[in-house]
Amino acid sequence: MDSKEMLVQGSKELGIVLSDEQVSQFYQYYQELVTWNQKMNLTAITEEKEVIVKHFLDCLTPAVNFDFTTCTTLIDMGTGAGFPGIPLKIAYPHLKITLVDSLQKRIHFLQEVTKGLGLENVECVHGRAEELGQNSIYREQYDLCVSRAVAHLSVLYEYTLPFIKTGGVFLALKGPNVKEELEEGKKALQVLGGQWKQTWIISLPYSDITHSIVQIKKARHTPTQYPRKAGKPSKSPII
Ligand code: SAM
C-alpha cells in the first residue's frame, strides 16, 4: 500500500474523508517537517509512512469518538511541531486554533508552515502554559483543548483546564496505560474544575499500537490561583 492510500484510508477508518486539497496539505506539511528537521529538533520520526501513521493518523484518532464539528475554538498545549493541532486543523478547517509552545524556534517553524499551507485562523503563541493561563486573552476562552505527550495528567490538567470555557472539553492523547495517571490526577481534576467523562482505547491504523484518549469536561471555573507560577505544576503537582 502506498503512503497516500494509508493517509486516505486510515483517515476514513477514523471517520474523516479527506479532499485532494487536504491530502496535499498533509504532504506539504510532511515536506516542511523533514526539511526544517535538518536544522532543528522537531521529530525523531522522518520516514514518510511512519510520519503518516505515527504523527498524522495518530493526531486524528480523537475523531473516532469526538465530533469536532461541535467546536469552534481549539487550543493545542505543548504542540511541538504542531501535533495534534495542525492535523486537526487540516481535517477540520472550520476550527480557529491556537498552537502553544514554550520553545520559540518551534513557534517560528509553526508560523512558517501554517502560512505555507494557507491555513487561516491559526495563532502560534510562544509561552508557557503557566503564564498564558493567567492571561485574560487566553483564559477560559476555548471550546476545546488538546494535548499530546506533554506531561502526566496531574500536571497536564493545570496546563490545560484554565484555558477551557465552562462546558468545554479537554482531550488528552495518551499511551496505552493511563489508569495510574488517571488515579493520580483525580485531585488536580477536582481542584481545577474538571470532570472525567470517558477514556477510549484506540487502535492506530497500520500499526499494532494502541493508545488512550481521556475526555474531560470543564464543569466549573478554574480557581484564580491556578495555574501556579512557571515550573510549580511539574515540581509540586496537585496530588
Ligand atoms: N505535542 C507534540 C507531539 O505530540 O509531538 C510535542 C510533544 S513534546 C514531547 C512536548 C512539548 O511541550 C515541547 O515542544 C515543549 O516545548 C512543550 N512544553 C512543555 N512544557 C510546556 C509548558 N509548560 N508550556 C508550554 N509548552 C510546554
Side-chain angles (χ1 to χ4, degrees):
M1 181 179 272
D2 69 18
S3 71
K4 184 177 168 188
E5 222 175 319
M6 283 172 113
L7 177 62
V8 172
Q9 289 304 324
S11 299
K12 213 177 258 173
E13 259 181 56
L14 302 170
I16 297 165
V17 177
L18 296 176
S19 67
D20 289 346
E21 191 197 341
Q22 286 167 314
V23 170
S24 33
Q25 283 177 317
F26 273 112
Y27 276 93
Q28 202 179 329
Y29 182 23
Y30 171 70
Q31 287 306 336
E32 296 288 345
L33 192 63
V34 290
T35 305
W36 284 69
N37 203 44
Q38 291 164 354
K39 301 179 277 184
M40 63 173 76
N41 178 20
L42 289 170
T43 172
I45 300 169
T46 52
E47 195 274 321
E48 192 173 282
K49 287 184 180 173
E50 223 186 335
V51 169
I52 286 177
V53 174
K54 294 187 182 164
H55 282 322
F56 297 167
L57 294 178
D58 188 66
C59 290
L60 299 180
T61 53
V64 168
N65 237 348
F66 184 78
D67 182 1
F68 283 85
T69 64
T70 61
C71 299
T72 306
T73 49
L74 175 152
I75 186 163
D76 179 7
M77 193 49 62
T79 188
F83 302 124
I86 294 184
L88 289 171
K89 172 67 185 172
I90 294 174
Y92 298 98
H94 75 282
L95 290 171
K96 295 186 167 126
I97 73 165
T98 303
L99 303 170
V100 176
D101 205 276
S102 52
L103 275 186
Q104 172 60 48
K105 55 187 182 171
R106 293 193 174 144
I107 294 300
H108 178 54
F109 163 74
L110 294 169
Q111 281 163 338
E112 292 299 314
V113 86
T114 52
K115 196 164 64 181
L117 292 177
L119 298 174
E120 285 168 4
N121 292 316
V122 178
E123 189 188 4
C124 306
V125 182
H126 173 229
R128 290 188 66 112
E130 300 93 311
E131 282 147 12
L132 298 169
Q134 290 293 359
N135 181 334
S136 60
I137 297 174
Y138 303 104
R139 189 178 174 89
E140 299 201 326
Q141 297 299 314
Y142 294 87
D143 302 327
L144 177 64
C145 177
V146 291
S147 192
R148 185 182 84 158
V150 174
H152 274 224
L153 287 174
S154 55
V155 176
L156 193 60
Y157 290 146
E158 192 167 349
Y159 288 168
T160 55
L161 291 175
F163 294 88
I164 307 169
K165 293 176 187 167
T166 303
V169 173
F170 172 46
L171 298 173
L173 283 71
K174 286 283 169 187
N177 303 315
V178 77
K179 222 171 149 197
E180 249 176 57
E181 266 190 61
L182 278 166
E183 269 309 302
E184 194 191 64
K186 270 186 174 165
K187 170 132 188 250
L189 190 60
Q190 202 272 329
V191 167
L192 297 163
Q195 193 179 63
W196 176 85
K197 293 302 282 184
Q198 55 174 332
T199 304
W200 344 305
I201 308 294
I202 304 269
S203 299
L204 187 60
Y206 312 112
S207 76
D208 52 11
I209 299 169
T210 54
H211 70 198
S212 327
I213 297 176
V214 178
Q215 180 174 346
I216 302 295
K217 180 182 173 185
K218 178 77 180 277
R220 287 167 285 107
H221 289 294
T222 299
T224 50
Q225 68 264 40
Y226 300 104
R228 294 165 292 167
K229 69 177 175 37
K232 190 89 180 164
S234 60
K235 268 187 225 117
S236 322
I238 310 166
I239 43 176

mmCIF file of all heavy atoms in Angstrom, residues 55 76-81 83-84 100-103 106 127-130 148-150 159, ligand 1:
data_model
loop_
_atom_site.group_PDB
_atom_site.id
_atom_site.type_symbol
_atom_site.label_atom_id
_atom_site.label_comp_id
_atom_site.label_asym_id
_atom_site.label_seq_id
_atom_site.Cartn_x
_atom_site.Cartn_y
_atom_site.Cartn_z
ATOM 1 N N HIS A 55 2.340 10.157 13.351
ATOM 2 C CA HIS A 55 2.020 11.553 13.648
ATOM 3 C C HIS A 55 0.626 11.913 13.110
ATOM 4 O O HIS A 55 -0.263 12.248 13.872
ATOM 5 C CB HIS A 55 3.055 12.511 13.072
ATOM 6 C CG HIS A 55 4.333 12.591 13.881
ATOM 7 N ND1 HIS A 55 4.362 12.565 15.248
ATOM 8 C CD2 HIS A 55 5.632 12.724 13.493
ATOM 9 C CE1 HIS A 55 5.610 12.667 15.684
ATOM 10 N NE2 HIS A 55 6.407 12.762 14.633
ATOM 11 N N ASP A 76 -4.015 23.950 21.384
ATOM 12 C CA ASP A 76 -3.150 22.770 21.499
ATOM 13 C C ASP A 76 -1.986 23.150 22.407
ATOM 14 O O ASP A 76 -1.147 23.977 22.046
ATOM 15 C CB ASP A 76 -2.666 22.357 20.103
ATOM 16 C CG ASP A 76 -1.727 21.150 20.139
ATOM 17 O OD1 ASP A 76 -1.540 20.548 21.216
ATOM 18 O OD2 ASP A 76 -1.177 20.812 19.061
ATOM 19 N N MET A 77 -1.940 22.549 23.590
ATOM 20 C CA MET A 77 -0.951 22.926 24.593
ATOM 21 C C MET A 77 0.307 22.066 24.469
ATOM 22 O O MET A 77 0.225 20.846 24.547
ATOM 23 C CB MET A 77 -1.594 22.766 25.983
ATOM 24 C CG MET A 77 -0.805 23.403 27.099
ATOM 25 S SD MET A 77 -0.290 25.099 26.755
ATOM 26 C CE MET A 77 -1.855 25.922 26.570
ATOM 27 N N GLY A 78 1.466 22.704 24.254
ATOM 28 C CA GLY A 78 2.727 21.981 24.066
ATOM 29 C C GLY A 78 2.727 21.258 22.725
ATOM 30 O O GLY A 78 2.999 20.076 22.621
ATOM 31 N N THR A 79 2.454 22.022 21.684
ATOM 32 C CA THR A 79 2.218 21.460 20.342
ATOM 33 C C THR A 79 3.490 20.957 19.654
ATOM 34 O O THR A 79 3.412 20.159 18.726
ATOM 35 C CB THR A 79 1.505 22.535 19.479
ATOM 36 O OG1 THR A 79 1.102 21.985 18.250
ATOM 37 C CG2 THR A 79 2.392 23.740 19.227
ATOM 38 N N GLY A 80 4.671 21.421 20.072
ATOM 39 C CA GLY A 80 5.926 20.977 19.436
ATOM 40 C C GLY A 80 5.930 21.338 17.960
ATOM 41 O O GLY A 80 5.839 22.503 17.587
ATOM 42 N N ALA A 81 5.993 20.315 17.098
ATOM 43 C CA ALA A 81 5.998 20.549 15.647
ATOM 44 C C ALA A 81 4.578 20.671 15.085
ATOM 45 O O ALA A 81 4.382 20.579 13.872
ATOM 46 C CB ALA A 81 6.744 19.413 14.967
ATOM 47 N N PHE A 83 1.634 19.025 16.706
ATOM 48 C CA PHE A 83 0.826 17.829 16.962
ATOM 49 C C PHE A 83 0.104 17.888 18.305
ATOM 50 O O PHE A 83 0.767 18.107 19.322
ATOM 51 C CB PHE A 83 1.722 16.584 16.926
ATOM 52 C CG PHE A 83 2.444 16.419 15.630
ATOM 53 C CD1 PHE A 83 3.831 16.307 15.592
ATOM 54 C CD2 PHE A 83 1.748 16.393 14.430
ATOM 55 C CE1 PHE A 83 4.500 16.162 14.384
ATOM 56 C CE2 PHE A 83 2.420 16.251 13.221
ATOM 57 C CZ PHE A 83 3.792 16.133 13.202
ATOM 58 N N PRO A 84 -1.198 17.635 18.333
ATOM 59 C CA PRO A 84 -2.079 17.253 17.218
ATOM 60 C C PRO A 84 -2.749 18.422 16.480
ATOM 61 O O PRO A 84 -3.547 18.206 15.578
ATOM 62 C CB PRO A 84 -3.163 16.425 17.928
ATOM 63 C CG PRO A 84 -3.302 17.077 19.258
ATOM 64 C CD PRO A 84 -1.906 17.543 19.638
ATOM 65 N N VAL A 100 0.334 26.415 21.076
ATOM 66 C CA VAL A 100 1.205 26.990 22.119
ATOM 67 C C VAL A 100 2.414 26.106 22.340
ATOM 68 O O VAL A 100 2.290 24.874 22.459
ATOM 69 C CB VAL A 100 0.454 27.108 23.467
ATOM 70 C CG1 VAL A 100 1.388 27.621 24.564
ATOM 71 C CG2 VAL A 100 -0.754 28.014 23.345
ATOM 72 N N ASP A 101 3.581 26.743 22.403
ATOM 73 C CA ASP A 101 4.769 26.010 22.841
ATOM 74 C C ASP A 101 5.735 26.962 23.527
ATOM 75 O O ASP A 101 5.778 28.153 23.213
ATOM 76 C CB ASP A 101 5.470 25.291 21.680
ATOM 77 C CG ASP A 101 6.274 24.105 22.184
ATOM 78 O OD1 ASP A 101 7.442 24.304 22.616
ATOM 79 O OD2 ASP A 101 5.744 22.977 22.203
ATOM 80 N N SER A 102 6.521 26.384 24.454
ATOM 81 C CA SER A 102 7.450 27.224 25.215
ATOM 82 C C SER A 102 8.782 27.391 24.487
ATOM 83 O O SER A 102 9.642 28.112 24.967
ATOM 84 C CB SER A 102 7.665 26.627 26.609
ATOM 85 O OG SER A 102 8.024 25.274 26.490
ATOM 86 N N LEU A 103 8.948 26.744 23.334
ATOM 87 C CA LEU A 103 10.196 26.906 22.578
ATOM 88 C C LEU A 103 9.975 27.811 21.362
ATOM 89 O O LEU A 103 9.245 27.467 20.433
ATOM 90 C CB LEU A 103 10.709 25.549 22.101
ATOM 91 C CG LEU A 103 11.555 24.732 23.070
ATOM 92 C CD1 LEU A 103 12.088 23.488 22.375
ATOM 93 C CD2 LEU A 103 12.706 25.538 23.646
ATOM 94 N N ARG A 106 10.365 26.529 17.680
ATOM 95 C CA ARG A 106 9.247 25.707 17.186
ATOM 96 C C ARG A 106 8.092 26.614 16.725
ATOM 97 O O ARG A 106 7.420 26.326 15.742
ATOM 98 C CB ARG A 106 8.781 24.725 18.251
ATOM 99 C CG ARG A 106 9.857 23.694 18.522
ATOM 100 C CD ARG A 106 9.397 22.500 19.317
ATOM 101 N NE ARG A 106 10.505 21.549 19.350
ATOM 102 C CZ ARG A 106 10.810 20.776 20.376
ATOM 103 N NH1 ARG A 106 10.071 20.789 21.463
ATOM 104 N NH2 ARG A 106 11.829 19.955 20.318
ATOM 105 N N GLY A 127 5.028 30.687 24.584
ATOM 106 C CA GLY A 127 4.820 30.950 26.004
ATOM 107 C C GLY A 127 4.634 29.667 26.768
ATOM 108 O O GLY A 127 4.512 28.585 26.183
ATOM 109 N N ARG A 128 4.632 29.820 28.070
ATOM 110 C CA ARG A 128 4.402 28.658 28.929
ATOM 111 C C ARG A 128 2.937 28.631 29.339
ATOM 112 O O ARG A 128 2.332 29.680 29.585
ATOM 113 C CB ARG A 128 5.280 28.743 30.178
ATOM 114 C CG ARG A 128 6.762 28.546 29.886
ATOM 115 C CD ARG A 128 7.514 28.448 31.184
ATOM 116 N NE ARG A 128 7.140 27.251 31.920
ATOM 117 C CZ ARG A 128 7.929 26.207 32.133
ATOM 118 N NH1 ARG A 128 9.157 26.212 31.663
ATOM 119 N NH2 ARG A 128 7.509 25.177 32.827
ATOM 120 N N ALA A 129 2.424 27.413 29.462
ATOM 121 C CA ALA A 129 1.030 27.229 29.876
ATOM 122 C C ALA A 129 0.742 27.981 31.166
ATOM 123 O O ALA A 129 -0.310 28.603 31.321
ATOM 124 C CB ALA A 129 0.756 25.743 30.069
ATOM 125 N N GLU A 130 1.712 27.953 32.089
ATOM 126 C CA GLU A 130 1.500 28.561 33.413
ATOM 127 C C GLU A 130 1.284 30.068 33.306
ATOM 128 O O GLU A 130 0.552 30.656 34.108
ATOM 129 C CB GLU A 130 2.709 28.307 34.329
ATOM 130 C CG GLU A 130 3.027 26.851 34.603
ATOM 131 C CD GLU A 130 4.063 26.294 33.628
ATOM 132 O OE1 GLU A 130 3.901 26.487 32.408
ATOM 133 O OE2 GLU A 130 5.024 25.665 34.090
ATOM 134 N N ARG A 148 -0.811 16.352 23.431
ATOM 135 C CA ARG A 148 -0.202 15.030 23.266
ATOM 136 C C ARG A 148 1.229 15.076 23.769
ATOM 137 O O ARG A 148 1.997 15.981 23.402
ATOM 138 C CB ARG A 148 -0.218 14.630 21.778
ATOM 139 C CG ARG A 148 0.278 13.216 21.526
ATOM 140 C CD ARG A 148 0.316 12.850 20.044
ATOM 141 N NE ARG A 148 1.536 13.308 19.392
ATOM 142 C CZ ARG A 148 2.039 12.802 18.262
ATOM 143 N NH1 ARG A 148 1.399 11.834 17.634
ATOM 144 N NH2 ARG A 148 3.151 13.274 17.744
ATOM 145 N N ALA A 149 1.579 14.108 24.612
ATOM 146 C CA ALA A 149 2.963 13.899 25.043
ATOM 147 C C ALA A 149 3.593 15.115 25.722
ATOM 148 O O ALA A 149 4.718 15.509 25.386
ATOM 149 C CB ALA A 149 3.835 13.450 23.857
ATOM 150 N N VAL A 150 2.887 15.728 26.629
ATOM 151 C CA VAL A 150 3.435 16.916 27.293
ATOM 152 C C VAL A 150 3.747 16.663 28.771
ATOM 153 O O VAL A 150 4.814 17.037 29.243
ATOM 154 C CB VAL A 150 2.510 18.142 27.112
ATOM 155 C CG1 VAL A 150 2.991 19.330 27.926
ATOM 156 C CG2 VAL A 150 2.441 18.522 25.633
ATOM 157 N N TYR A 159 -1.988 22.645 33.204
ATOM 158 C CA TYR A 159 -1.546 23.326 31.979
ATOM 159 C C TYR A 159 -2.719 23.604 31.028
ATOM 160 O O TYR A 159 -2.579 24.412 30.109
ATOM 161 C CB TYR A 159 -0.562 22.452 31.199
ATOM 162 C CG TYR A 159 0.828 22.283 31.775
ATOM 163 C CD1 TYR A 159 1.680 21.303 31.242
ATOM 164 C CD2 TYR A 159 1.316 23.092 32.794
ATOM 165 C CE1 TYR A 159 2.965 21.125 31.732
ATOM 166 C CE2 TYR A 159 2.605 22.913 33.284
ATOM 167 C CZ TYR A 159 3.420 21.933 32.751
ATOM 168 O OH TYR A 159 4.706 21.750 33.213
HETATM 169 N N1 SAM B 1 2.637 17.672 21.297
HETATM 170 C C1 SAM B 1 3.803 17.421 20.474
HETATM 171 C C2 SAM B 1 3.803 15.982 19.971
HETATM 172 O O1 SAM B 1 2.948 15.206 20.404
HETATM 173 O O2 SAM B 1 4.658 15.655 19.127
HETATM 174 C C3 SAM B 1 5.094 17.753 21.198
HETATM 175 C C4 SAM B 1 5.411 16.867 22.363
HETATM 176 S S1 SAM B 1 6.952 17.309 23.120
HETATM 177 C C5 SAM B 1 7.406 15.832 23.910
HETATM 178 C C6 SAM B 1 6.421 18.383 24.470
HETATM 179 C C7 SAM B 1 6.284 19.834 24.034
HETATM 180 O O3 SAM B 1 5.646 20.548 25.082
HETATM 181 C C8 SAM B 1 7.614 20.500 23.776
HETATM 182 O O4 SAM B 1 7.603 21.107 22.498
HETATM 183 C C9 SAM B 1 7.747 21.535 24.887
HETATM 184 O O5 SAM B 1 8.424 22.701 24.475
HETATM 185 C C10 SAM B 1 6.280 21.806 25.249
HETATM 186 N N2 SAM B 1 6.049 22.192 26.649
HETATM 187 C C11 SAM B 1 6.458 21.531 27.776
HETATM 188 N N3 SAM B 1 6.055 22.174 28.887
HETATM 189 C C12 SAM B 1 5.371 23.270 28.472
HETATM 190 C C13 SAM B 1 4.703 24.333 29.155
HETATM 191 N N4 SAM B 1 4.697 24.392 30.480
HETATM 192 N N5 SAM B 1 4.083 25.289 28.409
HETATM 193 C C14 SAM B 1 4.124 25.239 27.047
HETATM 194 N N6 SAM B 1 4.745 24.259 26.355
HETATM 195 C C15 SAM B 1 5.354 23.286 27.053
#
